[in-house]
Amino acid sequence: MAENVTIARPYADAAFELARGAGALGPWSEVLDRLASVAADSDMQACFNDPKMSADQLNKLMLEVAGELNAEQQNFIRVLVESERLQVLPEIRDLFVALKNEQEGVMEARIASAFPLDDATLASLKADLEARFKAKLDVSVSIDPELIGGVRIAIGDEVIDASVRGKLANMAAALKN
């Protein structure tokens, strides 16, 4: 995984510079999301690894399944095909989104909750977190029943553990000392 991120970084940087120069961060993000989904498909991965597939055939296949693309995006796919880097498209997308969020002043927040959060609770939590971090947040929520109750929030490299499981772990550690 770390190796894939290292391989993907220059391609993500190049895509970001192209998108920023064209004022098209949003459209590029959408395209990279589609391409990453295509690259994650097991049938497509089989094609990437098929020695019988020529670069031209693979490029044509990617352009057919990728949807509508502008000339720069088509060229980007061609470069990835020729460099045999299609398998790192998910990492390229993730790095691109991180660069885009940094440019736009947006931080990603991952909220794990023991139970589903209703819209009002989520909106209130998001507003509180945006005020605390003084940034717009892109929030994703997942359900983790192992938390027993409460939430665990990860924003950047900071983690806020307000879960029952986290509090029990803290109490156990305090009792051992």
Side-chain angles (χ1 to χ4, degrees):
M1 179 71 174
E3 183 178 318
N4 284 349
V5 171
T6 301
I7 292 168
R9 189 171 315 284
Y11 296 98
D13 291 342
F16 179 76
E17 290 304 322
L18 284 171
R20 186 171 61 174
L25 290 174
W28 266 87
S29 183
E30 292 169 10
V31 165
L32 288 173
D33 196 41
R34 283 195 322 259
L35 292 173
S37 296
V38 168
D41 181 72
S42 60
D43 291 334
M44 286 302 290
Q45 289 176 2
C47 290
F48 299 164
N49 297 322
D50 186 353
K52 296 176 186 171
M53 289 280 290
S54 71
D56 288 338
Q57 290 172 319
L58 200 50
N59 189 51
K60 184 177 179 184
L61 177 63
M62 284 298 292
L63 292 176
E64 286 176 4
V65 298
E68 189 173 324
L69 303 172
N70 66 30
E72 286 181 331
Q73 293 160 346
Q74 291 176 14
N75 190 44
F76 185 72
I77 289 175
R78 185 186 54 75
V79 168
L80 292 175
V81 168
E82 290 174 359
S83 303
E84 298 180 3
R85 298 295 189 227
L86 289 173
Q87 73 278 7
V88 297
L89 268 165
E91 289 83 2
I92 292 171
R93 179 221 28 229
D94 294 346
L95 291 167
F96 181 91
V97 168
L99 290 168
K100 177 181 174 285
N101 286 346
E102 184 179 327
Q103 173 78 24
E104 295 172 346
V106 175
M107 297 177 76
E108 287 188 31
R110 294 179 313 280
I111 299 173
S113 174
F115 302 101
L117 299 174
D118 62 54
D119 291 340
T121 302
L122 183 58
S124 173
L125 181 58
K126 182 179 177 184
D128 291 344
L129 291 169
E130 285 179 341
R132 177 177 175 175
F133 286 90
K134 295 178 178 51
K136 185 175 180 221
L137 296 178
D138 182 16
V139 176
S140 63
V141 179
S142 63
I143 305 300
D144 184 359
E146 290 186 11
L147 295 177
I148 303 171
V151 295
R152 184 176 52 231
I153 304 164
I155 300 174
D157 59 357
E158 187 170 338
V159 176
I160 302 167
D161 192 348
S163 68
V164 172
R165 183 177 220 44
K167 290 178 183 179
L168 289 172
N170 288 341
M171 286 174 35
L175 289 172
K176 286 181 182 178
N177 293 333

